[in-house]
Amino acid sequence: MGVLWWIVVGLIAGWATGKIMRGSGYGPVMDILVGIVGALVGGWVMRALGFAGQGGFIYTILVAILGAVLFTWLLRLITGSKDTGSGNIRRAA
């Protein structure tokens, strides 16, 4: 049941992060993995700030989303990806 729990949390967090960060996403499998890594990052950040990990389903999802947003931001910062989901719209020079 533990693995299924991580997949569900990762799926929700990855999907929500894709909506928050306004990108094209990484695909379903990578969104799940980003969500799972985000859950780990979010848990680490919350523990570093002194918050206990004693929460329910909603708390877990919110922490995972927070971590996934941070992880995605760092990933885009490192890779130089500036995909904002705007398609092929050209900007005036």
Side-chain angles (χ1 to χ4, degrees):
M1 184 69 178
V3 173
L4 182 60
W5 175 254
W6 280 102
I7 292 173
V8 169
V9 169
L11 177 65
I12 294 169
W15 174 81
T17 300
K19 298 297 179 191
I20 292 168
M21 299 295 288
R22 287 187 274 180
S24 60
Y26 298 108
V29 174
M30 284 304 294
D31 281 348
I32 291 172
L33 291 176
V34 165
I36 291 171
V37 171
L40 295 172
V41 170
W44 180 81
V45 167
M46 295 305 278
R47 270 185 263 121
L49 293 174
F51 293 101
Q54 301 296 328
F57 182 71
I58 301 297
Y59 175 80
T60 302
I61 296 297
L62 291 176
V63 168
I65 291 170
L66 171 74
V69 166
L70 287 172
F71 178 68
T72 302
W73 178 74
L74 287 172
L75 190 63
R76 288 181 181 177
L77 188 66
I78 292 169
T79 62
S81 174
K82 297 193 187 281
D83 180 21
T84 59
S86 60
N88 291 327
I89 299 173
R90 294 183 183 218
R91 296 185 182 182

